Amino acid sequence: SPSRSRKIWNGAESPADPKSCNINATGTGLPSSTSLRRRNFIQFSSAIGAVLGLSHPAFAEQTFASASRKDLVAVPGPSAPFSTTRSYRNIVLSNGLKVVLVRDTMAQQSSAAITIEGAGLLSDPVEIPGLAHLMEHIVLSSDNRRRTPMFVGRRKILGDVRLDRDKGEDDEENFEDWICAQDGDSNAFTAPGFVCFHLSCPHETLPEALERFSRLFTLDEIENTVCKPGVINREIGRVSSEIDRVGDQSRAFYFLKSQVDGDHPFSRLFAGSRSTLQTTPTENGLDVATHLTCFFRDHYLASRATLVVVSNEGLGALDRWISPYSNIMSQRERIGPPSISSFPPKVFKDRTDLTQSIILRSREDGQFDENHQTLSLEWPLSLVYERNPTENVVSASAVGFILTQILSRRGPGSLRQMLEKLGWAPKGNRGVPRFSFPIDQSGFQILRMEIGLSLDGFANRSAVIAAVFESIRTVLSRPLPTALIEQYLCAALLHGYLLAPRPPDCITLAVDSIRYGLSSKYGVGGTSGVGLQSNQQSITNWYLMPSPDDKVGVENMKRIVTETLTIMADERGPLVSIRASAKAIFGYSKGLVDKAVLTGPLLPPWTREAVTGARVYTEKRAAAAGGLFRSLAFVTAKVDGEAALTPPYLNPLLPTSLRPPRPVVERSRGWAGESVLYLDSALAGEDDASLKLVDSYAGSNWREMSRALAPVDGSGWKLLQVPPSKTGTLGIALPVRPPEPGVEGAVVLQLLSSLPSTFTSRQLTLANLWLLSYDDAIVDIAESGALAGCAYEWSFNRAGLRLCFRGLSQSLPSYVRRLCRRLVAQHANLLSGKAEVAESAYQRAMNEVTRSPKIGPLQKKQMVDVLTRGVSNEDVADQALTFLKATNGAYVISQGDLTPSESLQLSSDLRQVFRGYGDAKGFECEPALRDILYRPFWKPRESSPCLLPGLSLLADTCGRVPR
């Protein structure tokens, strides 16, 4: 390997150092069993000290010295997600290339990604738009010469370039063809500010894949590739074919770009076409091959690149395999995209009136629906991303998530509810306001807000726009509460980080390194929650968002969100457009204040967008739109008895600070088996003696978990506590989570009754309608709980009615109690008229019956007949009351991060909620636990990972990093 100098940022020593290689007396390179037990004990002791604010190791050892030999640590306290399966190392090579090596013991394949800042679309020369995108294609088109490596197991020895004596020339093989032949894959994408190349391959192929991958980024290979006949023309054709001319989002993007002032760099942003890359350069006498070579020299700089490698191999092996990257790319000084100061303040073209543009949608779009239109408002922002070693970078995505929670919320006084009441937005996810960023560069962003419209909403489009501005001004009518920002930060931390089903991949890490840097407290690969976790006392150290416990970060976020809302409140600021179908434009364009569109799309004043060919109609915004909306809002408020629009309010189910998971110890009792002890942090004090885990822990702050069904309050209710991180133990199936101890809990409530096993088709239909109407009645709680990670499920079985709940352990008990109270009251509300079985409930019941494979043909026909004829609310309420009176006891099963005292208290509370029921004779039932712990189907839909509004801006699994 070529010699190289380097720096290791994370504090690890050289691979040759026995200390960094974990060499022990056995010579295996793995920690001995003695050192492992010692390490687990120390880690757990530090965790207990962290709970009490006593983090000194001496205190921890003294407190637990008596128990260190007999206790096995099951949950060692605070630990970052995937920190037990991943280890990181940051390196800087001699050419300035930054490297992040990641050992992931759970990785199914090896992968690598390299990002080059300043080689994106904003760096295109003015005379050849799209050259950066073409450069990406040229790099991956290299037929590089093979410097043949010889492999001995996993070790490789680089041989000389060998000549094929038969051919008399170097053996050449396309990189993409080679990696596909190895069951791997490679690709690339060009963003406005950077370009990213990435590959994945089997673990055993990684050494050779990395070497071949490195040769793509040498000047010799680029010069050879651009000189080959037909290569440039072929790649220009591929670049041109990637333009999406029918997609809704593509048409929106190019319309936005067409409205930008010509002096702004964004107006020249283009992925390239045959016209810009071949026809126009030829007419102007420009040599594209020469420009490609110059672009590589000027912008593919090693000092501005970051390589990320993820594999299950050791960091030492990965360190050796990246040796070729010391000699790649250009060594020139840094030059790059427009600096912050070069973005002019003027973004959009001059407009004298308030206007809105109607963009005709294409029927060829795969998401085309002629009954649903999309309103889009786009504001220019100028957030500057300055790295600070003591503070998070507040990115546009982070601000967008907070704005989504403020303006996309559901409930009384929300914009979403108001538009649904007026019939201007479709119910469900289509009408939820969504935020995104078509371009996000330091110093320049475009914030896009999209709202789905019904046909009636399109007819009153000017009034809908007025409603948006009115809702923003309502939010600004009083200062944002600090506690509200803390709640939203908790939600972001919970869904984007703590409950993430997988760690960030190599592409995400490589892209994030550009914005957040490397190794610092709030950078990639350091102590930021995706890297080392030495001496970590908190689970909230995440580089994408400030911690809710970081007072400075909270105030910064509050200030930036308020400033952004102030920009959004100016009606002259945004570019407004509506993407609509021909049915909406020519059949529903005339509303109460909006005028009808009378001319065809091929006639003036319709215009044609140059790239996609979309037809655009620009009209003046109706002057009376604001008055119309305020009048309708006033009438609605009088009818409903509540304000039409209100500022956001605190979520009772979402905390303002997240606590770490509580420690658990498994103690062996010899012939008596094991006991599981839980440190009840709610009772823990500052006294050292109260924390000692001794042979007799009665009266201490340690609680023993019930390992079998135990009676609650001497009644027919029984409680079972499932220890966390206990493999092979019965429990309800939860979504995929990090392997470390988490902050999530789950509760199963099985109301015992043999009545459902004797249900007739009519009784079963009525019982299902009861619970479907219950779904409609608890929408407010369900959606508030979804932000706290809470979800529920109900189902009848042969042993009665099963209710499942999951969510953040801090919020779960309150969530369970609220939903159970509503369940008990639902039949009374149906009788009094406060609730009803809506038409949508009948439709959902019909769908469930027709699709269920467990219902026989005869019973299915009988149930469909009941639903078709319809039933009264009284019939449904009577059936609900009949079931509740026929219950005889209940099983309560708690699992996850719930202490014994919390589980017992919740069981007692639920017993009180269902008082008056549960003592029926003749309906006794004692099911086996396995029969009631089948997989749940969680509700509401917003509890699914990527359906929570705004989560796509923060969650890697929801497409946070476009690629």
Side-chain angles (χ1 to χ4, degrees):
S1 303
S3 61
R4 57 196 172 99
S5 62
R6 61 181 185 173
K7 292 182 286 186
I8 301 181
W9 289 356
N10 61 9
E13 299 182 34
S14 169
D17 192 323
K19 194 174 185 179
S20 66
C21 293
N22 294 323
I23 302 297
N24 53 41
T26 63
T28 61
L30 298 174
S32 65
S33 58
T34 303
S35 65
L36 183 60
R37 288 195 298 269
R38 172 72 172 172
R39 187 177 308 159
N40 284 343
F41 164 67
I42 294 298
Q43 183 181 12
F44 174 65
S45 303
S46 300
I48 300 299
V51 172
L52 302 177
L54 303 172
S55 58
H56 195 279
F59 166 79
E61 292 190 37
Q62 180 181 0
T63 303
F64 292 97
S66 62
S68 60
R69 291 183 175 274
K70 62 175 66 176
D71 299 324
L72 171 66
V73 177
V75 178
S79 184
F82 301 101
S83 59
T84 60
T85 61
R86 278 194 165 192
S87 54
Y88 290 70
R89 179 180 295 170
N90 295 349
I91 300 171
V92 179
L93 302 184
S94 57
N95 59 351
L97 178 70
K98 295 176 286 292
V99 182
V100 180
L101 303 179
V102 185
R103 185 191 184 193
D104 188 341
T105 58
M106 299 177 63
Q108 301 298 312
Q109 274 195 322
S110 294
S111 58
I114 187 166
T115 53
I116 308 166
E117 186 182 7
L121 299 175
L122 285 174
S123 298
D124 280 338
V126 176
E127 60 273 15
I128 311 181
L131 189 70
H133 189 193
L134 179 60
M135 184 77 254
E136 168 216 313
H137 281 248
I138 293 296
V139 170
L140 285 180
S141 299
S142 171
D143 291 325
N144 53 56
R145 301 180 184 181
R146 297 179 61 188
R147 187 164 177 255
T148 309
M150 297 179 294
F151 291 87
V152 180
R154 292 295 182 88
R155 299 174 57 200
K156 77 175 178 180
I157 304 172
L158 295 177
D160 296 329
V161 177
R162 303 179 181 272
L163 297 180
D164 189 318
R165 295 184 179 180
D166 295 332
K167 297 181 181 179
E169 58 184 10
D170 293 337
D171 183 19
E172 294 183 354
E173 187 174 10
N174 182 277
F175 173 76
E176 291 187 299
D177 293 341
W178 176 84
I179 200 165
C180 287
Q182 307 300 319
D183 295 328
D185 183 37
S186 66
N187 211 331
F189 62 92
T190 307
F194 64 90
V195 63
C196 177
F197 299 86
H198 53 93
L199 66 87
S200 61
C201 63
H203 295 306
E204 60 272 13
T205 314
L206 180 62
E208 186 174 0
L210 285 175
E211 185 190 5
R212 289 174 176 267
F213 192 51
S214 70
R215 293 202 300 270
L216 299 178
F217 303 98
T218 61
L219 183 59
D220 289 342
E221 292 297 338
I222 298 302
E223 291 176 338
N224 290 336
T225 301
V226 299
C227 291
K228 290 182 179 179
V231 171
I232 293 181
N233 288 341
R234 180 192 67 199
E235 297 307 320
I236 288 175
R238 291 176 177 175
V239 167
S240 185
S241 66
E242 292 180 7
I243 298 177
D244 181 7
R245 291 180 169 82
V246 300
D248 206 30
Q249 290 296 320
S250 178
R251 291 193 166 197
F253 176 81
Y254 284 109
F255 169 74
L256 165 66
K257 194 175 76 71
S258 70
Q259 301 302 304
V260 174
D261 186 77
D263 293 333
H264 199 283
F266 183 47
S267 67
R268 301 186 293 273
L269 192 80
F270 187 42
S273 66
R274 189 170 293 278
S275 173
T276 63
L277 294 172
Q278 186 177 46
T279 305
T280 303
T282 301
E283 293 174 351
N284 296 333
L286 300 176
D287 183 12
V288 175
T290 301
H291 277 77
L292 285 168
T293 304
C294 292
F295 189 90
F296 183 87
R297 288 174 175 168
D298 294 340
H299 298 283
Y300 276 58
L301 306 178
S303 59
R304 305 202 70 178
T306 303
L307 170 69
V308 178
V309 182
V310 180
S311 178
N312 66 356
E313 293 290 342
L315 295 178
L318 299 180
D319 196 347
R320 294 192 300 272
W321 296 341
I322 62 168
S323 297
Y325 290 86
S326 298
N327 300 316
I328 67 170
M329 296 190 192
S330 175
Q331 307 296 315
R332 291 192 174 188
E333 295 182 0
R334 298 174 59 135
I335 59 175
S339 62
I340 295 171
S341 60
S342 66
F343 287 114
K346 182 180 179 181
V347 178
F348 294 129
K349 297 175 180 177
D350 292 329
R351 292 169 290 173
T352 57
D353 299 308
L354 294 178
T355 61
Q356 56 213 26
S357 299
I358 301 174
I359 305 172
L360 179 62
R361 297 187 62 186
S362 171
R363 287 185 170 272
E364 298 178 19
D365 181 13
Q367 304 296 323
F368 179 79
D369 184 344
E370 64 180 4
N371 295 318
H372 292 95
Q373 327 310 318
T374 303
L375 169 66
S376 176
L377 297 93
E378 292 160 315
W379 293 268
L381 303 178
S382 56
L383 298 178
V384 177
Y385 304 146
E386 294 182 351
R387 298 175 190 166
N388 189 323
T390 61
E391 296 179 11
N392 285 82
V393 173
V394 179
S395 66
S397 296
V399 174
F401 179 82
I402 304 297
L403 292 174
T404 301
Q405 307 315 312
I406 294 174
L407 297 174
S408 300
R409 72 186 196 278
R410 184 183 183 126
S414 66
L415 172 65
R416 177 179 173 186
Q417 186 180 80
M418 187 64 190
L419 295 179
E420 289 182 358
K421 283 183 179 180
L422 296 174
W424 292 350
K427 294 184 178 181
N429 289 331
R430 285 182 177 268
V432 178
R434 299 186 182 277
F435 290 84
S436 60
F437 293 88
I439 182 170
D440 183 2
Q441 287 289 116
S442 179
F444 176 66
Q445 304 86 24
I446 293 291
L447 168 64
R448 175 185 289 168
M449 179 183 184
E450 294 178 306
I451 303 176
L453 300 181
S454 62
L455 291 173
D456 192 30
F458 177 75
N460 295 281
R461 52 197 175 274
S462 294
V464 175
I465 297 168
V468 172
F469 288 108
E470 189 67 26
S471 68
I472 297 172
R473 287 190 288 266
T474 301
V475 173
L476 290 171
S477 62
R478 66 183 187 190
L480 289 173
T482 300
L484 188 71
I485 301 298
E486 291 173 343
Q487 282 193 336
Y488 294 153
L489 292 178
C490 281
L493 182 71
L494 184 68
H495 294 281
Y497 181 48
L498 298 179
L499 301 183
R502 63 170 177 81
D505 59 16
C506 63
I507 301 175
T508 300
L509 294 174
V511 171
D512 284 347
S513 67
I514 295 175
R515 178 167 300 169
Y516 304 101
L518 297 178
S519 183
S520 65
K521 181 179 179 181
Y522 300 106
V524 173
T527 58
S528 57
V530 297
L532 299 179
Q533 296 301 316
S534 58
N535 300 322
Q536 182 182 352
Q537 302 299 326
S538 173
I539 58 171
T540 58
N541 189 20
W542 186 39
Y543 62 78
L544 288 185
M545 292 285 275
S547 166
D549 300 321
D550 179 5
K551 301 305 180 184
V552 175
V554 171
E555 288 301 320
N556 284 341
M557 179 63 72
K558 177 180 175 181
R559 173 181 55 80
I560 295 174
V561 169
T562 303
E563 291 172 354
T564 305
L565 286 168
T566 303
I567 293 173
M568 296 171 65
D570 183 3
E571 294 193 35
R572 293 187 174 274
L575 177 70
V576 182
S577 63
I578 306 105
R579 305 190 295 277
S581 64
K583 175 182 178 180
I585 296 173
F586 301 111
Y588 293 86
S589 58
K590 182 172 176 53
L592 296 176
V593 294
D594 287 286
K595 297 181 180 179
V597 178
L598 302 177
T599 57
L602 299 180
L603 301 174
W606 286 84
T607 59
R608 180 181 180 275
E609 194 279 311
V611 177
T612 63
R615 310 302 297 186
V616 180
Y617 180 90
T618 301
E619 62 180 3
K620 290 184 179 180
R621 198 172 309 162
L628 171 63
F629 170 73
R630 285 188 288 272
S631 299
L632 294 175
F634 177 80
V635 173
T636 302
K638 286 295 184 182
V639 173
D640 296 339
E642 57 187 23
L645 293 174
T646 62
Y649 45 83
L650 293 176
N651 186 334
L653 294 173
L654 192 60
T656 57
S657 179
L658 296 177
R659 71 184 178 201
R662 277 73 64 89
V664 171
V665 169
E666 296 177 27
R667 165 169 284 190
S668 175
R669 288 181 171 179
W671 61 270
E674 294 181 344
S675 62
V676 179
L677 306 179
Y678 220 133
L679 179 64
D680 194 339
S681 60
L683 300 177
E686 297 290 340
D687 183 15
D688 295 4
S690 68
L691 295 177
K692 289 183 179 179
L693 181 57
V694 294
D695 292 338
S696 175
Y697 51 85
S700 72
N701 287 330
W702 292 91
R703 299 289 183 268
E704 183 172 356
M705 301 189 76
S706 172
R707 303 295 298 274
L709 286 168
V712 177
D713 298 336
S715 64
W717 284 54
K718 296 181 179 180
L719 170 65
L720 171 67
Q721 301 171 65
V722 180
S725 302
K726 183 70 174 176
T727 58
T729 306
L730 283 174
I732 202 69
L734 297 176
V736 178
R737 301 299 189 216
E740 292 73 23
V743 294
E744 192 175 30
V747 174
V748 178
L749 172 61
Q750 174 72 38
L751 298 176
L752 299 175
S753 174
S754 61
L755 181 61
S757 62
T758 63
F759 271 164
T760 65
S761 297
R762 177 177 174 80
Q763 289 174 330
L764 180 57
T765 303
L766 292 174
N768 282 332
L769 287 174
W770 164 47
L771 293 176
L772 288 171
S773 68
Y774 167 71
D775 286 342
D776 295 335
I778 61 171
V779 166
D780 55 340
I781 298 179
E783 293 198 355
S784 297
L787 201 58
C790 296
Y792 74 97
E793 186 254 15
W794 55 259
S795 62
F796 283 105
N797 52 42
R798 299 185 66 84
L801 173 63
R802 189 191 75 169
L803 301 169
C804 295
F805 311 91
R806 66 168 171 85
L808 181 66
S809 60
Q810 290 171 259
S811 308
L812 187 59
S814 175
Y815 182 75
V816 173
R817 287 191 291 266
R818 289 167 185 263
L819 291 187
C820 287
R821 291 192 192 104
R822 291 284 191 96
L823 179 68
V824 172
Q826 180 63 12
H827 69 278
N829 291 335
L830 287 172
L831 290 174
S832 65
K834 293 181 180 179
E836 64 176 2
V837 183
E839 185 63 33
S840 60
Y842 283 96
Q843 188 60 47
R844 298 199 304 274
M846 186 74 74
N847 292 337
E848 291 178 5
V849 169
T850 55
R851 295 175 182 176
S852 176
K854 298 181 179 180
I855 302 177
L858 178 59
Q859 187 181 19
K860 187 174 294 187
K861 180 179 181 302
Q862 293 170 346
M863 295 179 71
V864 169
D865 289 342
V866 174
L867 292 170
T868 303
R869 291 194 301 269
V871 294
S872 66
N873 291 341
E874 290 76 13
D875 293 336
V876 175
D878 289 343
Q879 182 59 50
L881 185 59
T882 299
F883 170 77
L884 290 174
K885 288 184 175 181
T887 56
N888 186 286
Y891 288 171
V892 179
I893 303 171
S894 68
Q895 66 186 78
D897 188 42
L898 292 171
T899 65
S901 58
E902 289 172 344
S903 300
L904 186 60
Q905 182 62 51
L906 178 59
S907 300
S908 299
D909 293 344
L910 294 179
R911 179 72 183 89
Q912 290 299 313
V913 169
F914 287 93
R915 64 185 179 275
Y917 309 112
D919 299 322
K921 304 300 181 182
F923 295 95
E924 293 82 0
C925 186
E926 293 187 9
L929 289 177
R930 293 186 182 276
D931 293 336
I932 63 176
L933 293 177
Y934 47 88
R935 181 178 295 275
F937 294 93
W938 299 106
K939 303 178 183 180
R941 291 191 63 196
E942 285 79 0
S943 65
S944 299
C946 296
L947 293 180
L948 189 71
L951 197 56
S952 60
L953 295 171
L954 293 178
D956 300 328
T957 53
C958 303
R960 175 176 70 87
V961 178
R963 54 193 72 182

